[in-house]
Amino acid sequence: MFNSKIASFAKCVPENIVTNNDLEKLVDTSDEWIFSRTGIKERRISVSENTSEICAGAAKKAIDAAKLMPEEVELIITATISGDYYIPSVSCIVQKIIGAKNAMAFDINAACSGFIFALSAADKFIKTGTFKNALVIGGEVLSKFVDWDDRGTCVLFGDGAGACVIKRGNGRGIIAEDLHSDGEKGESLMSSYIPVDNPFCESTEETFKFIKMGGREIFNFATRKVPASINEVIKKSALSFDDIKYIVPHQANSRIVEIIAKKLKLPMNKFFMNMDKYGNTSGASIPIALSEMSEKGLIKENDKIIVTGFGGGLTWGSALIEL
Ligand code: UT7
């Protein structure tokens, strides 16, 4: 087995800012309702760039910061549920844009837990010696799948991408992880049903494109599962919360984070939040947060952090990482 080390974080978000006040003009809502119920003030909404383009933007910055040439990149994994196409994958398009012509590239669909699942897979490719480095991306243009007439969902989501490079090195990478799925509850968060459709069937099924969510159900699921998952990685690592610099949760709702903190009896300043600026960017929210924390000097080499996510699938999980 080899050791792994996270070498860089980067992000790329669309320039267009849509505030809560802007949304008041689209649906029956208010800045007061959105901010008090979610902690979101504004989000980035793409007006031209598709998912692969913003993922490539984050990827380029991450490989530069890790001092890798594009052709040295050996693996690209993108966590996304809003790719440009079914085929090719976002990762393959990113490979083409950045010129990583020697990489193996594929996507992971695990919704808002996707970045953690992707990082977990990459860490294993490095630790088993299959590859010496990997580019892990979380990127979404969710605005394509949002029903802009549905106030229950359109105020929540945003577009953006974050990336990191993980390399063979003298660190520990992921020290402990706790990853789960529950397909039984998949119907509480869905988008884009594609029915069987060919000349040999009489398809009567209705198709739908936009995100449908049982908000309360997801809220209750997250506040139940995430604290247990965080406790599990602490237990597996034999570390204590005092050893952890930050917990970086999926940025869905500040009230969810407050309940998690309360259940774990931890102060809110142990948790990083930036959903006020970006909304819920699904698989991109954790790498965007890590990139911003790195830019602000909040995290540095050798720090231990916990990333934790939950979302469609249903999926959830946590990873305790040494930077
Ligand atoms: O990324 C992972 C997946 N997603 C999540 O993590 C989302 C998890 N869930 C949540 O964050 C919250 O459940 C929401 C923010 C989605 C909703 O908050 P809530 O406190 O659970 O509100 P609610 O759905 O129970 O709705 C309360 C009221 C309803 O009105 P009535 O029936 O009480 O008259 C809604 O119609 O708020 C109404 N409402 C709104 N009002 C103004 C729903 N959306 C809006 C809105 N503006 N945008």
CSV table of all heavy atoms in Angstrom, one decimal, residues 266-296:
chain,number,residue,atom,x,y,z
A,266,LEU,N,-21.2,20.2,19.4
A,266,LEU,CA,-20.0,20.9,18.9
A,266,LEU,C,-20.4,22.4,18.7
A,266,LEU,O,-21.5,22.7,18.3
A,266,LEU,CB,-19.5,20.3,17.6
A,266,LEU,CG,-18.9,18.9,17.8
A,266,LEU,CD1,-18.6,18.3,16.4
A,266,LEU,CD2,-17.6,18.9,18.6
A,267,PRO,N,-19.4,23.3,18.8
A,267,PRO,CA,-19.8,24.7,18.5
A,267,PRO,C,-19.9,24.9,17.0
A,267,PRO,O,-19.3,24.2,16.2
A,267,PRO,CB,-18.5,25.5,19.0
A,267,PRO,CG,-17.4,24.5,19.0
A,267,PRO,CD,-18.1,23.2,19.3
A,268,MET,N,-20.7,25.9,16.6
A,268,MET,CA,-21.0,26.2,15.2
A,268,MET,C,-19.7,26.6,14.5
A,268,MET,O,-19.6,26.3,13.2
A,268,MET,CB,-22.0,27.3,15.0
A,268,MET,CG,-23.4,26.8,15.1
A,268,MET,SD,-23.8,25.4,13.9
A,268,MET,CE,-23.8,26.2,12.4
A,269,ASN,N,-18.7,27.2,15.2
A,269,ASN,CA,-17.5,27.6,14.5
A,269,ASN,C,-16.6,26.4,14.1
A,269,ASN,O,-15.5,26.6,13.5
A,269,ASN,CB,-16.7,28.7,15.3
A,269,ASN,CG,-16.2,28.2,16.6
A,269,ASN,OD1,-16.3,27.0,16.9
A,269,ASN,ND2,-15.7,29.1,17.4
A,270,LYS,N,-17.0,25.2,14.5
A,270,LYS,CA,-16.3,24.0,14.0
A,270,LYS,C,-16.7,23.7,12.6
A,270,LYS,O,-16.1,22.8,11.9
A,270,LYS,CB,-16.6,22.8,14.9
A,270,LYS,CG,-15.7,21.7,14.8
A,270,LYS,CD,-14.6,21.8,15.8
A,270,LYS,CE,-13.7,20.6,15.9
A,270,LYS,NZ,-12.6,20.8,16.8
A,271,PHE,N,-17.8,24.2,12.1
A,271,PHE,CA,-18.4,23.9,10.8
A,271,PHE,C,-18.2,25.1,9.9
A,271,PHE,O,-18.4,26.2,10.2
A,271,PHE,CB,-19.9,23.7,11.0
A,271,PHE,CG,-20.3,22.4,11.8
A,271,PHE,CD1,-20.2,22.4,13.2
A,271,PHE,CD2,-20.6,21.3,11.1
A,271,PHE,CE1,-20.5,21.3,13.9
A,271,PHE,CE2,-20.9,20.1,11.9
A,271,PHE,CZ,-20.8,20.1,13.3
A,272,PHE,N,-17.8,24.7,8.6
A,272,PHE,CA,-17.7,25.8,7.6
A,272,PHE,C,-18.9,25.9,6.8
A,272,PHE,O,-19.5,24.8,6.4
A,272,PHE,CB,-16.5,25.5,6.7
A,272,PHE,CG,-16.3,26.6,5.7
A,272,PHE,CD1,-15.7,27.8,6.0
A,272,PHE,CD2,-16.8,26.4,4.4
A,272,PHE,CE1,-15.5,28.8,5.1
A,272,PHE,CE2,-16.6,27.4,3.4
A,272,PHE,CZ,-16.0,28.6,3.8
A,273,MET,N,-19.4,27.1,6.6
A,273,MET,CA,-20.6,27.3,5.7
A,273,MET,C,-20.4,28.4,4.7
A,273,MET,O,-19.9,29.4,5.1
A,273,MET,CB,-21.8,27.6,6.6
A,273,MET,CG,-22.3,26.4,7.5
A,273,MET,SD,-24.0,26.6,8.0
A,273,MET,CE,-23.8,27.9,9.2
A,274,ASN,N,-20.8,28.2,3.5
A,274,ASN,CA,-20.8,29.3,2.5
A,274,ASN,C,-22.0,29.2,1.6
A,274,ASN,O,-22.0,29.7,0.5
A,274,ASN,CB,-19.5,29.3,1.7
A,274,ASN,CG,-19.3,28.1,0.9
A,274,ASN,OD1,-20.1,27.2,0.9
A,274,ASN,ND2,-18.2,28.1,0.1
A,275,MET,N,-23.1,28.5,2.1
A,275,MET,CA,-24.3,28.4,1.2
A,275,MET,C,-24.9,29.8,1.0
A,275,MET,O,-25.7,30.0,0.1
A,275,MET,CB,-25.3,27.4,1.8
A,275,MET,CG,-26.1,27.8,3.0
A,275,MET,SD,-25.1,27.5,4.5
A,275,MET,CE,-25.2,25.7,4.8
A,276,ASP,N,-24.6,30.8,1.9
A,276,ASP,CA,-25.1,32.1,1.7
A,276,ASP,C,-24.8,32.6,0.3
A,276,ASP,O,-25.5,33.3,-0.3
A,276,ASP,CB,-24.7,33.1,2.8
A,276,ASP,CG,-23.2,33.2,2.9
A,276,ASP,OD1,-22.5,32.1,2.7
A,276,ASP,OD2,-22.6,34.2,3.2
A,277,LYS,N,-23.6,32.3,-0.2
A,277,LYS,CA,-23.1,32.8,-1.5
A,277,LYS,C,-23.4,31.9,-2.7
A,277,LYS,O,-23.4,32.4,-3.8
A,277,LYS,CB,-21.6,33.0,-1.4
A,277,LYS,CG,-21.2,34.2,-0.6
A,277,LYS,CD,-19.8,34.6,-0.8
A,277,LYS,CE,-18.9,33.6,0.0
A,277,LYS,NZ,-17.6,33.8,0.2
A,278,TYR,N,-23.5,30.6,-2.4
A,278,TYR,CA,-23.6,29.7,-3.6
A,278,TYR,C,-24.8,28.8,-3.6
A,278,TYR,O,-25.0,28.1,-4.6
A,278,TYR,CB,-22.3,28.8,-3.6
A,278,TYR,CG,-21.0,29.5,-3.7
A,278,TYR,CD1,-20.2,29.6,-2.6
A,278,TYR,CD2,-20.7,30.2,-4.8
A,278,TYR,CE1,-19.0,30.3,-2.6
A,278,TYR,CE2,-19.5,30.9,-4.9
A,278,TYR,CZ,-18.7,31.0,-3.8
A,278,TYR,OH,-17.5,31.7,-3.8
A,279,GLY,N,-25.6,28.8,-2.5
A,279,GLY,CA,-26.8,27.9,-2.5
A,279,GLY,C,-26.3,26.5,-2.4
A,279,GLY,O,-25.2,26.2,-2.1
A,280,ASN,N,-27.2,25.6,-2.8
A,280,ASN,CA,-26.9,24.1,-2.7
A,280,ASN,C,-26.4,23.7,-4.1
A,280,ASN,O,-27.2,23.7,-5.1
A,280,ASN,CB,-28.2,23.4,-2.3
A,280,ASN,CG,-28.0,21.9,-2.4
A,280,ASN,OD1,-27.0,21.3,-2.9
A,280,ASN,ND2,-29.0,21.2,-1.8
A,281,THR,N,-25.1,23.5,-4.2
A,281,THR,CA,-24.5,23.1,-5.5
A,281,THR,C,-24.3,21.6,-5.6
A,281,THR,O,-23.4,21.1,-6.4
A,281,THR,CB,-23.2,23.9,-5.8
A,281,THR,OG1,-22.3,23.6,-4.7
A,281,THR,CG2,-23.5,25.3,-6.0
A,282,SER,N,-25.0,20.8,-4.9
A,282,SER,CA,-25.0,19.3,-4.9
A,282,SER,C,-23.5,18.8,-4.8
A,282,SER,O,-22.8,19.2,-3.9
A,282,SER,CB,-25.7,18.8,-6.1
A,282,SER,OG,-25.8,17.4,-6.1
A,283,GLY,N,-23.1,18.0,-5.7
A,283,GLY,CA,-21.8,17.4,-5.7
A,283,GLY,C,-20.6,18.4,-5.6
A,283,GLY,O,-19.5,18.1,-5.3
A,284,ALA,N,-20.9,19.7,-6.0
A,284,ALA,CA,-19.9,20.7,-6.0
A,284,ALA,C,-19.7,21.4,-4.7
A,284,ALA,O,-18.7,22.1,-4.5
A,284,ALA,CB,-20.2,21.7,-7.1
A,285,SER,N,-20.7,21.3,-3.8
A,285,SER,CA,-20.7,22.2,-2.6
A,285,SER,C,-19.5,21.9,-1.7
A,285,SER,O,-18.9,22.9,-1.2
A,285,SER,CB,-22.0,22.0,-1.9
A,285,SER,OG,-22.0,21.0,-0.9
A,286,ILE,N,-19.1,20.7,-1.5
A,286,ILE,CA,-17.9,20.4,-0.6
A,286,ILE,C,-16.6,20.9,-1.2
A,286,ILE,O,-15.9,21.6,-0.6
A,286,ILE,CB,-17.9,18.9,-0.1
A,286,ILE,CG1,-19.1,18.7,0.8
A,286,ILE,CG2,-16.6,18.6,0.6
A,286,ILE,CD1,-19.4,17.3,1.2
A,287,PRO,N,-16.3,20.5,-2.5
A,287,PRO,CA,-15.0,21.0,-3.0
A,287,PRO,C,-15.0,22.5,-3.2
A,287,PRO,O,-13.9,23.2,-3.1
A,287,PRO,CB,-14.9,20.3,-4.4
A,287,PRO,CG,-16.2,19.8,-4.7
A,287,PRO,CD,-16.9,19.6,-3.4
A,288,ILE,N,-16.2,23.2,-3.5
A,288,ILE,CA,-16.2,24.7,-3.5
A,288,ILE,C,-15.8,25.2,-2.1
A,288,ILE,O,-15.0,26.1,-2.0
A,288,ILE,CB,-17.5,25.2,-4.0
A,288,ILE,CG1,-17.7,24.9,-5.5
A,288,ILE,CG2,-17.6,26.7,-3.7
A,288,ILE,CD1,-19.1,25.3,-6.1
A,289,ALA,N,-16.4,24.6,-1.1
A,289,ALA,CA,-16.2,25.0,0.3
A,289,ALA,C,-14.7,24.9,0.6
A,289,ALA,O,-14.0,25.8,1.2
A,289,ALA,CB,-17.0,24.3,1.3
A,290,LEU,N,-14.1,23.7,0.3
A,290,LEU,CA,-12.7,23.4,0.6
A,290,LEU,C,-11.8,24.4,-0.1
A,290,LEU,O,-10.8,24.9,0.5
A,290,LEU,CB,-12.4,22.0,0.2
A,290,LEU,CG,-13.0,20.9,1.1
A,290,LEU,CD1,-12.8,19.5,0.4
A,290,LEU,CD2,-12.5,20.9,2.5
A,291,SER,N,-12.1,24.7,-1.4
A,291,SER,CA,-11.3,25.6,-2.1
A,291,SER,C,-11.4,27.0,-1.5
A,291,SER,O,-10.3,27.7,-1.3
A,291,SER,CB,-11.9,25.7,-3.6
A,291,SER,OG,-11.3,26.7,-4.2
A,292,GLU,N,-12.5,27.5,-1.1
A,292,GLU,CA,-12.7,28.8,-0.4
A,292,GLU,C,-11.9,28.8,0.9
A,292,GLU,O,-11.2,29.8,1.2
A,292,GLU,CB,-14.1,29.1,-0.2
A,292,GLU,CG,-14.4,30.6,0.0
A,292,GLU,CD,-15.8,30.9,-0.1
A,292,GLU,OE1,-16.4,30.9,-1.2
A,292,GLU,OE2,-16.4,31.3,1.0
A,293,MET,N,-12.0,27.7,1.7
A,293,MET,CA,-11.3,27.6,2.9
A,293,MET,C,-9.8,27.7,2.7
A,293,MET,O,-9.0,28.4,3.5
A,293,MET,CB,-11.6,26.3,3.6
A,293,MET,CG,-13.1,26.3,4.1
A,293,MET,SD,-13.5,24.6,4.6
A,293,MET,CE,-12.9,24.7,6.3
A,294,SER,N,-9.3,27.1,1.6
A,294,SER,CA,-7.9,27.1,1.3
A,294,SER,C,-7.4,28.5,0.9
A,294,SER,O,-6.4,29.0,1.4
A,294,SER,CB,-7.7,26.0,0.3
A,294,SER,OG,-6.4,26.1,-0.4
A,295,GLU,N,-8.3,29.1,0.1
A,295,GLU,CA,-8.0,30.5,-0.3
A,295,GLU,C,-7.9,31.5,0.9
A,295,GLU,O,-7.1,32.4,0.9
A,295,GLU,CB,-9.1,31.1,-1.3
A,295,GLU,CG,-9.1,30.6,-2.7
A,295,GLU,CD,-10.4,30.8,-3.4
A,295,GLU,OE1,-11.2,31.7,-3.0
A,295,GLU,OE2,-10.7,30.1,-4.3
A,296,LYS,N,-8.7,31.2,1.8
A,296,LYS,CA,-8.8,32.1,3.0
A,296,LYS,C,-7.8,31.7,4.1
A,296,LYS,O,-7.7,32.4,5.1
A,296,LYS,CB,-10.2,32.0,3.7
A,296,LYS,CG,-11.3,32.7,2.8
A,296,LYS,CD,-12.6,32.7,3.6
A,296,LYS,CE,-13.6,33.5,2.9
A,296,LYS,NZ,-15.0,33.2,3.3
